[in-house]
Amino acid sequence: IRLHPFYWGEPKKRKQVLARLELFSGLSNVFVDLNEVDVHNHSAFISKNDQTNLLTYYTHCDACMSVGSTVMIEMSCLSKPTLNKLYGNWVTSNESMPIKEYGLHHLVELQKYSTITNCLSFDDLVEKLASFDKELPISSDIENFILREIGPNRGTAGLAAARRIKLLLEEI
């Protein structure tokens, strides 16, 4: 279980989630990763060292279970399936809304591809986990997602951007 860096910028929420994660401390084969973060004014970014750890997790895991996170994009780029938990509430200091109503553009776009499996309840999540090994939730359209997300300049995006900027400057 890996915490989102958000919890490090919000001390009250961090305390609440850490108390709940104590329930997992005695389970075998469960590890809670508390991240290494740099906190900046109510927000946090994972450290350079932790970015390497995260890439290792992505590479070696079989699948991801997440709630509306950009981790689903990274997992899709690595052709790893994600179970998207669309139940419960997204609670902020200002409001509480059902997670299924919370839509980020890039995640809505991602769900057009076969890498995401939506789970609409806890029972649905358990059922989809139980059948996980029986069916591969990713089909060949993941390559289309990667091409759309990464673009045609894979590995040379910096050079392509520099050329485009140079052309724009020449037009001025």
Side-chain angles (χ1 to χ4, degrees), residues 1-13:
I1 300 172
R2 184 171 168 86
L3 291 180
H4 192 282
F6 163 82
Y7 291 107
W8 294 100
E10 299 288 333
K12 182 179 176 184
K13 291 194 184 302

Side-chain angles (χ1 to χ4, degrees), residues 40-158:
H40 303 280
N41 299 335
H42 295 293
S43 65
F45 302 96
I46 60 174
S47 69
K48 191 74 168 166
N49 183 53
D50 203 41
Q51 290 174 30
T52 303
N53 291 341
L54 188 55
L55 181 58
T56 301
Y57 299 153
Y58 289 168
T59 304
H60 294 288
C61 75
D62 292 324
C64 174
M65 207 174 356
S66 186
V67 178
S69 172
T70 56
V71 71
M72 292 189 286
I73 293 173
E74 290 103 8
M75 295 302 288
S76 296
C77 287
L78 292 170
S79 298
K80 304 286 179 124
T82 298
L83 298 168
N84 184 24
K85 297 176 4 181
L86 285 177
Y87 57 90
N89 288 323
W90 184 274
V91 180
T92 69
S93 56
N94 300 324
E95 63 185 320
S96 174
M97 72 171 85
I99 289 173
K100 65 182 175 185
E101 293 178 10
Y102 183 75
L104 295 171
H105 173 73
H106 60 283
L107 298 181
V108 170
E109 286 297 307
L110 176 60
Q111 294 201 26
K112 294 177 181 175
Y113 301 90
S114 61
T115 185
I116 303 297
T117 300
N118 288 324
C119 302
L120 301 175
S121 68
F122 180 75
D123 290 337
D124 190 28
L125 172 67
V126 171
E127 183 181 313
K128 287 178 178 161
L129 278 171
S131 67
F132 181 76
D133 288 335
K134 296 177 189 165
E135 56 188 66
L136 185 61
I138 294 181
S139 69
S140 60
D141 73 339
I142 195 64
E143 184 64 25
N144 293 329
F145 161 74
I146 292 171
L147 289 173
R148 177 192 172 276
E149 197 67 26
I150 296 174
N153 301 307
R154 202 182 315 190
T156 60

